[in-house]
Amino acid sequence: MGLVTPDYGLLFWALLSFGVLLFILKKYAWKPILQALKNREESIARSMRMAEEARAEIAKLQDESKELMEKARQEREREIAETKALREKLIAEAKEQAKLETHKMLEKARQQIFLEKEAAKQELYNTVAELTISLTEKILRSELKEKEKQQEYIERLLQEMSKN
């Protein structure tokens, strides 16, 4: 039962050795341990501040990234709209140009047809006139072979002219 109820001498030596140990620890180990704990606490606090700053920076960068992405999307949509408008304008201009070219070609063809028609009329008129003259000449030659017939014909022409 000596262990359960300690003797006063044992108690004295236990207290003395504990006190010496406490003194040695306080003298040599307590300050470095507290300093290490304080350094560790400051290190943890610094890390926490840096982590919070990093989170804030990441949130800021994410916001900036979202803004940039939105601006890029708006710019892309604007460029697409401009491209569509330009394409439609070019198509309209090409259609208008084609319409003008077609109109010019039709007008040129009409003019060409008109000129060819007039040339054909003139040629037909000249041909008819030549044929008429030639035919009249042949008829007159055959009818007016005799002098009497020539004289009668001339008198008849003069009478017709005097009536008019």
Side-chain angles (χ1 to χ4, degrees):
M1 250 349 235
L3 289 175
V4 177
T5 56
D7 188 22
Y8 289 111
L10 181 62
L11 188 60
F12 171 75
W13 287 112
L15 285 175
L16 183 66
S17 60
F18 181 73
V20 170
L21 181 64
L22 191 60
F23 175 74
I24 291 173
L25 284 175
K26 186 176 181 190
K27 182 90 173 164
Y28 297 107
W30 193 257
K31 285 183 183 178
I33 290 172
L34 287 177
Q35 186 64 37
L37 287 174
K38 185 177 180 184
N39 288 343
R40 178 71 178 149
E41 183 181 334
E42 288 174 359
S43 173
I44 290 172
R46 197 173 332 117
S47 295
M48 293 290 279
R49 277 193 311 273
M50 289 173 57
E52 192 60 38
E53 289 173 2
R55 278 191 203 114
E57 186 68 25
I58 288 172
K60 180 181 173 186
L61 290 174
Q62 284 177 340
D63 290 342
E64 288 176 3
S65 174
K66 285 179 184 177
E67 288 176 14
L68 287 174
M69 285 177 24
E70 182 62 25
K71 285 180 182 178
R73 185 188 60 77
Q74 289 174 351
E75 181 69 21
R76 184 187 76 226
E77 287 176 1
R78 185 186 59 78
E79 287 178 2
I80 289 171
E82 287 177 0
T83 303
K84 283 182 182 178
L86 179 62
R87 181 189 66 170
E88 289 174 5
K89 180 182 175 188
L90 289 175
I91 288 172
E93 287 176 359
K95 284 181 181 179
E96 186 64 31
Q97 186 68 25
K99 188 186 278 186
L100 289 174
E101 288 295 321
T102 303
H103 182 69
K104 285 180 184 178
M105 289 173 63
L106 285 174
E107 191 59 38
K108 188 176 179 182
R110 285 185 187 125
Q111 185 68 26
Q112 186 70 24
I113 290 170
F114 177 77
L115 291 175
E116 288 177 8
K117 183 179 172 183
E118 290 298 314
K121 280 183 183 179
Q122 187 63 37
E123 187 178 335
L124 182 64
Y125 177 76
N126 290 339
T127 304
V128 168
E130 286 177 15
L131 286 174
T132 305
I133 291 172
S134 175
L135 189 61
T136 305
E137 183 181 335
K138 287 180 183 177
I139 290 173
L140 286 175
R141 281 192 186 174
S142 69
E143 284 187 10
L144 298 177
K145 280 186 180 177
E146 300 172 6
K147 263 226 181 262
E148 288 177 10
K149 285 187 179 181
Q150 287 178 5
Q151 191 64 34
E152 283 177 21
Y153 182 70
I154 292 174
E155 285 177 10
R156 195 173 355 133
L157 286 176
L158 286 175
Q159 284 177 359
E160 285 180 12
M161 286 176 67
S162 63
K163 288 181 184 178
N164 291 335

